[in-house]
Amino acid sequence: MQKLLMHPRFEQISYEDAGTGPAVVLLHGFPFSSSIFQGLIERLSGKYRTIAPDFPGAGSTSALLHPEDASMELLAELVKVILDQEKVEQCVLVGHSMGGYVAMAFADAYADRMKGLCLLHSTAYEDSEEKRQARVRSIQFIQTHGSELFLKQMVPGLFASHYVHAHPDEVNQIVKQSQRIPAEMLIAYYRAMMKRPDRSYLLRTLRIPIAFVFGKEDTSLLLDQALSMISLPGDSTVHVLEQTGHMSMIEHPRLARLLDYFIDYCEASLIG
Ligand code: MLT
């Protein structure tokens, strides 16, 4: 069910809230909305209370009045507002890409609200210099040519190429959804991602199970760099998925099952 919440700082916040049971919160990446998790929500909500916020400018959440205020910390606050509203004491957080950066900011501020963390095609490290430069070029492209053309070129590149060839209509649909996000919010998110700090130290100190999911064909998050994170936590699980790019929630039909095992494991870790 889609819910709306009015809040003085964020104006209107929209989020999906489906199912009952232990809570799992799905944080979407750039340039998506909670709708990217539609298939996962359907599967997970049979067993878990599945909550998926829309960040500002996505879904029916208002764009920020001052886009330059965007930060991973602000988005983490939006997640906390929803958890407080719904009286969810603790949850397993699953963050896809930018959503993973938000999950790390959330862990920095509200670790006691977490039972587990899954970084889905994401990293706890800050941007490399190369990545920052690529973001500057993307911002310039949006400012010159507009976000519609930018997203038409950028979004298909997040999938493994065979997937785009086999499912052109589905990918096109996802491009169209991403084009609803205002250009100024896209630019604000790029700037916010560039500013985020390295939070890999938290992987060492968080006392919760941590899972990493990577795609072998992900050109946005390079596997070699990402793999250096996996030995930092005291309790980590790693899935490296073949024939998968940056979008396993769409590309990999068994992702729901992997997450189900992980959430179950987080629940058992609380008892055991
Ligand atoms: C995302 O999917 O959220 C983006 O690829 C994140 C990024 O650009 O680092």
Side-chain angles (χ1 to χ4, degrees), residues 29-32 96-99 101 127 131 135 154 158 190 193 196 220 246:
F30 171 102
F32 304 109
H96 173 233
S97 202
M98 183 182 81
Y101 315 154
D127 272 356
K131 188 89 183 180
R135 294 198 199 283
M154 179 258 185
L158 297 173
Y190 268 142
M193 287 191 271
R196 76 184 196 282
S220 171
H246 193 64

mmCIF file of all heavy atoms in Angstrom, residues 29-32 96-99 101 127 131 135 154 158 190 193 196 220 246, ligand 1:
data_model
loop_
_atom_site.group_PDB
_atom_site.id
_atom_site.type_symbol
_atom_site.label_atom_id
_atom_site.label_comp_id
_atom_site.label_asym_id
_atom_site.label_seq_id
_atom_site.Cartn_x
_atom_site.Cartn_y
_atom_site.Cartn_z
ATOM 1 N N GLY A 29 18.041 3.470 -5.252
ATOM 2 C CA GLY A 29 19.233 4.173 -5.728
ATOM 3 C C GLY A 29 18.891 5.309 -6.673
ATOM 4 O O GLY A 29 17.722 5.698 -6.838
ATOM 5 N N PHE A 30 19.914 5.827 -7.291
ATOM 6 C CA PHE A 30 19.837 6.958 -8.228
ATOM 7 C C PHE A 30 19.755 6.398 -9.636
ATOM 8 O O PHE A 30 20.605 5.564 -9.987
ATOM 9 C CB PHE A 30 21.099 7.797 -8.070
ATOM 10 C CG PHE A 30 21.272 8.876 -9.109
ATOM 11 C CD1 PHE A 30 20.981 10.198 -8.816
ATOM 12 C CD2 PHE A 30 21.755 8.580 -10.386
ATOM 13 C CE1 PHE A 30 21.158 11.203 -9.761
ATOM 14 C CE2 PHE A 30 21.917 9.578 -11.335
ATOM 15 C CZ PHE A 30 21.622 10.880 -11.026
ATOM 16 N N PRO A 31 18.859 6.756 -10.467
ATOM 17 C CA PRO A 31 17.816 7.768 -10.417
ATOM 18 C C PRO A 31 16.434 7.110 -10.368
ATOM 19 O O PRO A 31 15.611 7.288 -11.266
ATOM 20 C CB PRO A 31 17.994 8.484 -11.762
ATOM 21 C CG PRO A 31 18.430 7.339 -12.697
ATOM 22 C CD PRO A 31 19.033 6.267 -11.849
ATOM 23 N N PHE A 32 16.200 6.354 -9.284
ATOM 24 C CA PHE A 32 14.989 5.530 -9.241
ATOM 25 C C PHE A 32 14.040 5.995 -8.135
ATOM 26 O O PHE A 32 14.219 7.046 -7.547
ATOM 27 C CB PHE A 32 15.386 4.056 -9.067
ATOM 28 C CG PHE A 32 16.320 3.600 -10.156
ATOM 29 C CD1 PHE A 32 17.653 3.330 -9.892
ATOM 30 C CD2 PHE A 32 15.870 3.497 -11.465
ATOM 31 C CE1 PHE A 32 18.525 2.955 -10.908
ATOM 32 C CE2 PHE A 32 16.719 3.116 -12.487
ATOM 33 C CZ PHE A 32 18.049 2.845 -12.205
ATOM 34 N N HIS A 96 20.174 -0.033 -2.071
ATOM 35 C CA HIS A 96 20.683 -0.229 -3.431
ATOM 36 C C HIS A 96 21.514 0.981 -3.845
ATOM 37 O O HIS A 96 20.981 2.102 -3.939
ATOM 38 C CB HIS A 96 19.510 -0.423 -4.409
ATOM 39 C CG HIS A 96 19.963 -0.467 -5.842
ATOM 40 N ND1 HIS A 96 19.442 0.325 -6.819
ATOM 41 C CD2 HIS A 96 20.923 -1.219 -6.441
ATOM 42 C CE1 HIS A 96 20.050 0.065 -7.970
ATOM 43 N NE2 HIS A 96 20.945 -0.869 -7.770
ATOM 44 N N SER A 97 22.774 0.770 -4.093
ATOM 45 C CA SER A 97 23.659 1.805 -4.631
ATOM 46 C C SER A 97 23.577 3.103 -3.816
ATOM 47 O O SER A 97 23.969 3.098 -2.660
ATOM 48 C CB SER A 97 23.350 2.012 -6.115
ATOM 49 O OG SER A 97 24.459 2.588 -6.726
ATOM 50 N N MET A 98 23.003 4.187 -4.339
ATOM 51 C CA MET A 98 22.900 5.406 -3.519
ATOM 52 C C MET A 98 22.136 5.110 -2.228
ATOM 53 O O MET A 98 22.436 5.674 -1.167
ATOM 54 C CB MET A 98 22.216 6.535 -4.292
ATOM 55 C CG MET A 98 22.161 7.836 -3.506
ATOM 56 S SD MET A 98 21.323 9.172 -4.372
ATOM 57 C CE MET A 98 19.597 8.780 -4.043
ATOM 58 N N GLY A 99 21.148 4.208 -2.305
ATOM 59 C CA GLY A 99 20.406 3.810 -1.100
ATOM 60 C C GLY A 99 21.335 3.170 -0.071
ATOM 61 O O GLY A 99 21.092 3.253 1.135
ATOM 62 N N TYR A 101 24.483 4.138 0.319
ATOM 63 C CA TYR A 101 25.199 5.267 0.951
ATOM 64 C C TYR A 101 24.307 5.866 2.046
ATOM 65 O O TYR A 101 24.783 6.296 3.088
ATOM 66 C CB TYR A 101 25.556 6.364 -0.051
ATOM 67 C CG TYR A 101 26.155 5.900 -1.383
ATOM 68 C CD1 TYR A 101 26.017 6.681 -2.533
ATOM 69 C CD2 TYR A 101 26.855 4.704 -1.481
ATOM 70 C CE1 TYR A 101 26.559 6.285 -3.749
ATOM 71 C CE2 TYR A 101 27.385 4.302 -2.697
ATOM 72 C CZ TYR A 101 27.231 5.084 -3.832
ATOM 73 O OH TYR A 101 27.745 4.690 -5.035
ATOM 74 N N ASP A 127 33.592 8.366 -2.851
ATOM 75 C CA ASP A 127 33.880 8.363 -4.286
ATOM 76 C C ASP A 127 35.384 8.419 -4.538
ATOM 77 O O ASP A 127 36.104 9.151 -3.842
ATOM 78 C CB ASP A 127 33.284 9.621 -4.946
ATOM 79 C CG ASP A 127 31.845 9.421 -5.394
ATOM 80 O OD1 ASP A 127 31.331 8.300 -5.273
ATOM 81 O OD2 ASP A 127 31.249 10.402 -5.864
ATOM 82 N N LYS A 131 35.590 8.793 -10.091
ATOM 83 C CA LYS A 131 34.123 8.793 -9.994
ATOM 84 C C LYS A 131 33.612 10.234 -9.845
ATOM 85 O O LYS A 131 32.615 10.609 -10.455
ATOM 86 C CB LYS A 131 33.707 7.937 -8.780
ATOM 87 C CG LYS A 131 32.234 7.679 -8.662
ATOM 88 C CD LYS A 131 31.808 6.427 -9.403
ATOM 89 C CE LYS A 131 30.314 6.230 -9.328
ATOM 90 N NZ LYS A 131 29.865 5.039 -10.019
ATOM 91 N N ARG A 135 31.073 12.295 -12.311
ATOM 92 C CA ARG A 135 29.826 12.941 -11.861
ATOM 93 C C ARG A 135 29.782 14.402 -12.332
ATOM 94 O O ARG A 135 28.731 14.894 -12.706
ATOM 95 C CB ARG A 135 29.717 12.892 -10.332
ATOM 96 C CG ARG A 135 29.573 11.479 -9.772
ATOM 97 C CD ARG A 135 29.054 11.545 -8.367
ATOM 98 N NE ARG A 135 29.278 10.345 -7.588
ATOM 99 C CZ ARG A 135 28.588 9.222 -7.691
ATOM 100 N NH1 ARG A 135 27.634 9.114 -8.588
ATOM 101 N NH2 ARG A 135 28.843 8.190 -6.912
ATOM 102 N N MET A 154 21.976 6.826 -19.829
ATOM 103 C CA MET A 154 22.638 6.326 -18.623
ATOM 104 C C MET A 154 21.990 5.049 -18.053
ATOM 105 O O MET A 154 22.678 4.095 -17.702
ATOM 106 C CB MET A 154 22.616 7.455 -17.578
ATOM 107 C CG MET A 154 23.233 7.142 -16.257
ATOM 108 S SD MET A 154 21.945 6.782 -15.021
ATOM 109 C CE MET A 154 22.924 6.619 -13.567
ATOM 110 N N LEU A 158 23.224 0.566 -16.762
ATOM 111 C CA LEU A 158 23.290 -0.028 -15.422
ATOM 112 C C LEU A 158 22.983 -1.535 -15.455
ATOM 113 O O LEU A 158 23.225 -2.247 -14.491
ATOM 114 C CB LEU A 158 22.305 0.670 -14.476
ATOM 115 C CG LEU A 158 22.584 2.156 -14.214
ATOM 116 C CD1 LEU A 158 21.457 2.782 -13.400
ATOM 117 C CD2 LEU A 158 23.924 2.338 -13.485
ATOM 118 N N TYR A 190 23.792 13.951 -7.303
ATOM 119 C CA TYR A 190 25.194 13.735 -7.708
ATOM 120 C C TYR A 190 26.128 14.504 -6.765
ATOM 121 O O TYR A 190 27.144 13.981 -6.305
ATOM 122 C CB TYR A 190 25.413 14.184 -9.151
ATOM 123 C CG TYR A 190 25.217 13.074 -10.173
ATOM 124 C CD1 TYR A 190 24.617 13.321 -11.398
ATOM 125 C CD2 TYR A 190 25.659 11.767 -9.914
ATOM 126 C CE1 TYR A 190 24.448 12.310 -12.332
ATOM 127 C CE2 TYR A 190 25.487 10.756 -10.838
ATOM 128 C CZ TYR A 190 24.883 11.034 -12.048
ATOM 129 O OH TYR A 190 24.718 10.027 -12.968
ATOM 130 N N MET A 193 26.323 12.811 -3.412
ATOM 131 C CA MET A 193 27.128 11.580 -3.423
ATOM 132 C C MET A 193 28.618 11.908 -3.438
ATOM 133 O O MET A 193 29.427 11.230 -2.809
ATOM 134 C CB MET A 193 26.742 10.703 -4.622
ATOM 135 C CG MET A 193 25.385 10.034 -4.466
ATOM 136 S SD MET A 193 25.066 8.773 -5.716
ATOM 137 C CE MET A 193 24.318 9.712 -7.043
ATOM 138 N N ARG A 196 29.848 12.667 0.096
ATOM 139 C CA ARG A 196 29.694 11.726 1.218
ATOM 140 C C ARG A 196 31.061 11.223 1.683
ATOM 141 O O ARG A 196 31.963 11.009 0.877
ATOM 142 C CB ARG A 196 28.775 10.563 0.828
ATOM 143 C CG ARG A 196 29.435 9.556 -0.062
ATOM 144 C CD ARG A 196 28.500 8.458 -0.511
ATOM 145 N NE ARG A 196 29.255 7.344 -1.042
ATOM 146 C CZ ARG A 196 29.797 7.306 -2.250
ATOM 147 N NH1 ARG A 196 29.686 8.318 -3.079
ATOM 148 N NH2 ARG A 196 30.481 6.237 -2.634
ATOM 149 N N SER A 220 29.192 0.125 -12.996
ATOM 150 C CA SER A 220 29.082 1.313 -12.145
ATOM 151 C C SER A 220 29.859 1.106 -10.844
ATOM 152 O O SER A 220 30.434 2.037 -10.284
ATOM 153 C CB SER A 220 27.598 1.571 -11.871
ATOM 154 O OG SER A 220 27.435 2.548 -10.921
ATOM 155 N N HIS A 246 24.102 -3.861 -12.396
ATOM 156 C CA HIS A 246 23.940 -3.050 -11.182
ATOM 157 C C HIS A 246 22.523 -3.184 -10.625
ATOM 158 O O HIS A 246 22.180 -2.536 -9.656
ATOM 159 C CB HIS A 246 24.211 -1.589 -11.615
ATOM 160 C CG HIS A 246 24.409 -0.607 -10.519
ATOM 161 N ND1 HIS A 246 25.448 -0.649 -9.630
ATOM 162 C CD2 HIS A 246 23.685 0.505 -10.168
ATOM 163 C CE1 HIS A 246 25.364 0.367 -8.792
ATOM 164 N NE2 HIS A 246 24.299 1.078 -9.090
HETATM 165 C C1 MLT B 1 22.864 4.331 -8.045
HETATM 166 O O1 MLT B 1 22.442 3.355 -8.684
HETATM 167 O O2 MLT B 1 22.312 4.742 -7.012
HETATM 168 C C2 MLT B 1 24.075 5.064 -8.584
HETATM 169 O O3 MLT B 1 24.749 4.255 -9.511
HETATM 170 C C3 MLT B 1 24.967 5.462 -7.465
HETATM 171 C C4 MLT B 1 26.233 6.109 -7.902
HETATM 172 O O4 MLT B 1 26.262 6.799 -8.938
HETATM 173 O O5 MLT B 1 27.233 5.974 -7.160
#
